Amino acid sequence: MTALTLSTAGAATLRADAIVVGLAKGAKGAVVAAGAEAVDKAFGGKLAGVLETLGASGAEGETTKLPSPSGLKAPVVLAVGLGAAPEKDEAFGAEALRTAAGVAARALTGTKKAAFALPIEAAEDVAAIAEGALLGAYAFTAYQENGKSAKAPLAEIAVLGAKPRDKAHKAAAERAVMLAEEINRARDLVNTPPNDLYPESFAAVATAAAKEHGIKVQVLDEKALTKGGYGGILGVGTGSANPPRLVKIAYTHPEAAKSLAYVGKGITYDSGGISLKPAGHNETMKCDMAGAAAVFAAVVTAARLGLRVNVTGWLALAENMPSGTATRPGDVLRMYSGKTVEVLNTDAEGRLVLADALTRASEENPDAIVDVATLTGAMVLALGNRTFGVMANDDAFRTAVHETAEETGEPSWPMPLPADLRKGMDSPTADIANMGERMGGGLVAGLFLKEFVGEGITWAHLDIAGPAFNEGAPFGYTPKGGTGSAVRTLVRLAERTADGELG
């Protein structure tokens, strides 16, 4: 991964291949942001004017490259837009810095070292710049010959204005590195082709990482799942040559006062099963395990940060395939909870594996459960490709999750669980059907999951179907392909719980 250092060196004297400066939209035109004073001086105080001549305005996400004048060691200056300049006595927000740093890192693909001279007033700014740059400097090249099919990501980032001996700055940078490494690991998992990432191999990755970071791990194979009565996970996985798994990874802290359970949907490939997806909807279905990837990454990050909270991750892993042994529409599954489910659509499989995992997680009586899943196309229709939905059985907790996501830079929106939609899942044959009314399908899925959460346990459901996989062009610090959606939210929730802010 890209290396990160904090540097007190001057922007004019540091040796690098490029120096990144911020440009903002002021009331009377573009203005050079704080942190780039030495660079502006090298341009005779006219850097903003030169950039405007080249068409730059300071708009968010905008980049402009120009050769350095004498007086700068770096041969190239990259100006990146920060958006509107803040009011007097105010600072740029974390997301503006994070996005600018990510855009700059992407623009400098193929570069060895870049110095980031962006505005820093506090440790939070160091964290945002470091996080954005590290997430922007991501590329998935594992399946390209010798990794040469594309330019290598920016190799080294020096954050200027940050103080390596300042405890708060150092801690912010270290957290950013750990978080980015695990988000990028989640991205790698989502991007891995399904012929190489299937339940057993995903479980092996989780097991290796858990052992490396002192996390307890337990893997239930198909025999253990059968013995335990996990009818939902088995029902989804029965059509595949690759049998399902339920993986438990548990991080504990000796001084923890609270416990969280994270449950992730891990459909390593989703063909729709017998209810086969139409042409054009299969090509990206390797991403249907993004929820499990996010949970896995969040638990590992919590362990690496040493958070004073117990965090258990449940990875419900299966491959949903059509075959002579696959579950059919009309079949009835007996779930781990004992409830029976009539399967009306085998492409509504994520809720089946999550149901078993939610029931199992509830048995340990955590203070809260959060499940994460690429669950419904209906949520994408409702919120688009960049925002995930948040549902919960507790309004205050739903608000806390939403606010936490927004704080970390992950767009989300609170969604209801209307009681009237529950009736649509009534089944004449079983306790409940896995489908209900078509309209409000994302909410129906949330209501289904709610049925399998233990009595009295606070629970939230994140439907990340939109932002988990970016099929369009890269933007900000978000690459094409797997994004690592929800990892930051889960990690911040764990931090807030450890600090006593939640519960």
Side-chain angles (χ1 to χ4, degrees), residues 31 78 81 102 145 297 316 368:
V31 293
L78 173 68
E145 186 177 2

Side-chain angles (χ1 to χ4, degrees), residues 33-183:
E37 292 82 1
V39 179
D40 188 30
K41 184 178 179 181
F43 280 88
K46 298 180 180 180
L47 177 56
V50 171
L51 289 167
E52 282 190 310
T53 300
L54 294 173
S57 67
E60 183 179 303
E62 181 183 79
T63 59
T64 308
K65 281 184 181 180
L66 65 165
S68 297
S70 59
L72 296 181
K73 295 291 185 183
V76 173
V77 172
L78 173 68
V80 60
L82 285 162
E87 297 294 330
K88 187 178 180 180
D89 299 328
E90 293 185 5
F92 286 99
E95 185 61 9
L97 294 174
R98 194 182 290 119
T99 298
V103 169
R106 287 195 299 104
L108 292 170
T109 296
T111 304
K112 290 185 177 180
K113 182 178 181 178
F116 283 65
L118 296 174
I120 291 178
E121 293 190 9
E124 291 77 13
D125 300 330
V126 175
I129 294 167
E131 187 179 310
L134 290 169
L135 292 177
Y138 169 82
F140 184 69
T141 59
Y143 290 82
Q144 297 172 349
E145 186 177 2
N146 299 320
K148 293 180 180 178
S149 298
K151 291 182 180 178
L154 173 61
E156 185 179 349
I157 295 162
V159 181
L160 305 186
K163 303 169 185 176
R165 295 186 179 180
D166 183 290
K167 289 184 179 180
H169 285 203
K170 184 179 179 181
E174 289 175 348
R175 178 189 183 277
V177 169
M178 293 179 196
L179 181 62
E181 284 179 348
E182 296 310 323
I183 290 174

Side-chain angles (χ1 to χ4, degrees), residues 67-313:
S68 297
S70 59
L72 296 181
K73 295 291 185 183
V76 173
V77 172
L78 173 68
V80 60
L82 285 162
E87 297 294 330
K88 187 178 180 180
D89 299 328
E90 293 185 5
F92 286 99
E95 185 61 9
L97 294 174
R98 194 182 290 119
T99 298
V103 169
R106 287 195 299 104
L108 292 170
T109 296
T111 304
K112 290 185 177 180
K113 182 178 181 178
F116 283 65
L118 296 174
I120 291 178
E121 293 190 9
E124 291 77 13
D125 300 330
V126 175
I129 294 167
E131 187 179 310
L134 290 169
L135 292 177
Y138 169 82
F140 184 69
T141 59
Y143 290 82
Q144 297 172 349
E145 186 177 2
N146 299 320
K148 293 180 180 178
S149 298
K151 291 182 180 178
L154 173 61
E156 185 179 349
I157 295 162
V159 181
L160 305 186
K163 303 169 185 176
R165 295 186 179 180
D166 183 290
K167 289 184 179 180
H169 285 203
K170 184 179 179 181
E174 289 175 348
R175 178 189 183 277
V177 169
M178 293 179 196
L179 181 62
E181 284 179 348
E182 296 310 323
I183 290 174
N184 287 340
R185 194 208 302 253
R187 290 170 168 180
D188 284 349
L189 286 168
V190 175
N191 289 328
T192 299
N195 57 320
D196 282 343
L197 189 74
Y198 42 90
E200 186 178 6
S201 61
F202 194 153
V205 170
T207 298
K211 290 181 178 178
E212 178 184 354
H213 297 290
I215 302 169
K216 292 182 179 179
V217 61
Q218 179 185 20
V219 179
L220 299 184
D221 62 14
E222 65 271 31
K223 292 181 180 179
L225 291 170
T226 300
K227 184 177 180 180
Y230 293 86
I233 297 174
L234 288 166
V236 174
T238 188
S240 173
N242 295 310
R245 296 286 187 270
L246 177 61
V247 180
K248 174 187 177 183
I249 50 174
Y251 160 69
T252 58
H253 191 285
E255 299 175 17
K258 297 285 185 178
S259 61
L260 295 172
Y262 292 155
V263 177
K265 172 187 172 183
I267 304 300
T268 56
Y269 183 75
D270 182 19
S271 70
I274 297 296
S275 304
L276 193 67
K277 291 180 183 293
H281 289 74
N282 291 284
E283 290 77 7
T284 61
M285 281 300 102
K286 64 181 181 180
C287 79
D288 215 17
M289 37 56 67
V295 166
F296 164 57
V299 176
V300 174
T301 304
R304 293 181 65 180
L305 293 173
L307 302 183
R308 294 187 181 184
V309 59
N310 296 333
V311 186
T312 301

